[in-house]
Amino acid sequence: MYSRISKMLAAAFLVTAVAGTTAVAAGSSGPTTRNGKAAQLVVNGVATPTSFAFGAGQVFFSDGTPPPEAPVGGVYVIKHGAAVKLPGSPPLSFGVTWRQGTLYVSGPNDILAWSGWNGTTFAHQKTIYTVKSKKFTGFNGLGFGANGRLYAGVDLGNGNDHGPATGPFQYDVVSMTATGKHVKVVARGMRQPWQLAFPTGSSSPYVSDLGQDTGATNAPDFVLRVKQGQNYGFPTCNRTSASACKGDAKPFQSFSAHTDVMGLGIIGKRLFMSEFGAATPAEVASIPLTGGKPRTELNGFPKGRNVVGLGVHNGWVYVAEIAAGPTELGAIYRFKP
């Protein structure tokens, strides 16, 4: 599977394999906001939601649980308090985004465009872009810039934590037209460009980037503000040595090792981030769009719980809590900051 992502989500894969369904277990008693208000439970019994999309009055999310460990990865819609897998889903998905009546989906080797939502499924499903190389490491999060182009992070892949790229677009963020044409590299040298968030009117996304694991001590995690033509220098530069990064693009903001900033979303002038909880307690935090000290927005997840996917819609922050043990699945909550 996919390096640190697979390691962090391995417990959730086990949970789902044991349970055999996404609709069996209860989530936690619920986290609370910085103002002491309880977050609203949206749905229980989910596996590993990685990103959200909002359209046609629906909440869609991608699930990164891979077969054969647990055959529930793909794309879901929340209907009547339950997560319902959509027909035609890829075996796993790390990214979804909505634009002009179409849900865009990242698969292991493909980007899909689904349109014609009829309340149950999408009438039209097509693949708009495929990487045919067996060495391709997969797509992560998706998002549209103000220029109308679709942006995607490219996954690290399995077993290549700090070496030269071994497959197409590895360590890159790419973009393409809404029909999957004219693909180009936006920026290079990012170990694990995971999820993206675009400020209104901008084509320069904030990107969460997970730092190096093996072969390094205390390599930081990052949020980047990615612009066309940048090179962040990985694998030569992992930001543990200033001299190794001379001339490379600088991160927008650095975080301590294994903070594991995952999902991103923007409300007003703040960037909201889900922090997985591998080395620190799981939480949702925010920083100003100009950078600055993180502020905790949601915490109180029970011990052994982690947070991955995050999305924003109509002033609400949606966040996915996943279990780290074999007795329960996870839950999706929402709150207003």
Side-chain angles (χ1 to χ4, degrees):
M1 218 328 232
Y2 293 169
S3 192
R4 186 193 299 182
I5 299 301
S6 64
K7 294 175 184 177
M8 291 192 295
L9 302 185
F13 301 162
L14 171 62
V15 168
T16 313
V18 171
T21 175
T22 61
V24 293
S28 74
S29 59
T32 57
T33 71
R34 61 188 175 89
N35 297 318
K37 295 183 179 180
Q40 294 183 5
L41 176 65
V42 177
V43 65
N44 249 322
V46 295
T48 56
T50 52
S51 66
F52 293 91
F54 307 90
Q58 308 296 315
V59 180
F60 303 97
F61 68 87
S62 57
D63 187 293
T65 311
E69 291 91 341
V72 295
V75 181
Y76 288 74
V77 64
I78 298 175
K79 299 286 286 186
H80 308 298
V84 180
K85 188 173 183 177
L86 293 177
S89 287
L92 79 167
S93 177
F94 290 151
V96 286
T97 192
W98 181 272
R99 181 176 184 267
Q100 297 181 354
T102 299
L103 182 68
Y104 292 82
V105 176
S106 66
N109 292 85
D110 308 306
I111 293 181
L112 317 173
W114 296 353
S115 59
W117 175 252
N118 60 18
T120 303
T121 188
F122 288 92
H124 310 289
Q125 298 185 353
K126 63 181 179 179
T127 300
I128 62 170
Y129 185 70
T130 299
V131 180
K132 296 181 180 180
S133 171
K134 293 182 179 180
K135 294 183 178 181
F136 182 61
T137 48
F139 290 110
N140 288 331
L142 302 175
F144 274 93
N147 57 8
R149 290 180 66 86
L150 176 63
Y151 289 66
V154 175
D155 203 81
L156 170 66
N158 186 35
N160 185 31
D161 185 45
H162 55 282
T166 57
F169 305 129
Q170 195 170 3
Y171 307 145
D172 296 348
V173 168
V174 300
S175 74
M176 63 190 70
T177 67
T179 57
K181 306 297 183 183
H182 307 298
V183 178
K184 64 181 180 181
V185 174
V186 177
R188 304 179 185 275
M190 295 155 282
R191 176 187 174 272
Q192 181 80 307
W194 179 234
Q195 300 293 332
L196 307 88
F198 286 86
T200 301
S202 174
S203 297
S204 296
Y206 293 92
V207 178
S208 53
D209 181 22
L210 300 172
Q212 184 176 334
D213 284 331
T214 60
T217 301
N218 295 324
D221 291 334
F222 312 101
V223 169
L224 313 174
R225 185 71 193 275
V226 171
K227 299 180 181 180
Q228 182 68 48
Q230 288 180 326
N231 189 332
Y232 287 90
F234 191 83
T236 302
C237 168
N238 65 9
R239 292 289 158 184
T240 61
S241 168
S243 61
C245 301
K246 186 177 181 180
D248 295 323
K250 295 181 179 180
F252 171 75
Q253 190 146 334
S254 298
F255 299 83
S256 59
H258 300 290
T259 299
D260 296 327
V261 176
M262 304 290 276
L264 301 176
I266 296 172
I267 296 179
K269 296 181 179 181
R270 298 191 72 86
L271 176 69
F272 289 76
M273 313 171 293
S274 58
E275 296 180 357
F276 186 85
T280 57
E283 67 174 15
V284 175
S286 74
I287 56 176
L289 292 183
T290 53
K293 183 179 179 180
R295 182 178 76 189
T296 297
E297 300 286 353
L298 189 74
N299 62 7
F301 295 95
K303 185 178 180 180
R305 291 281 172 155
N306 302 308
V307 291
V308 184
L310 182 145
V312 300
H313 183 61
N314 286 344
W316 291 92
V317 179
Y318 289 72
V319 62
E321 170 202 80
I322 67 171
T327 59
E328 292 184 336
L329 296 179
I332 293 171
Y333 294 92
R334 71 175 189 171
F335 69 96
K336 283 195 172 182

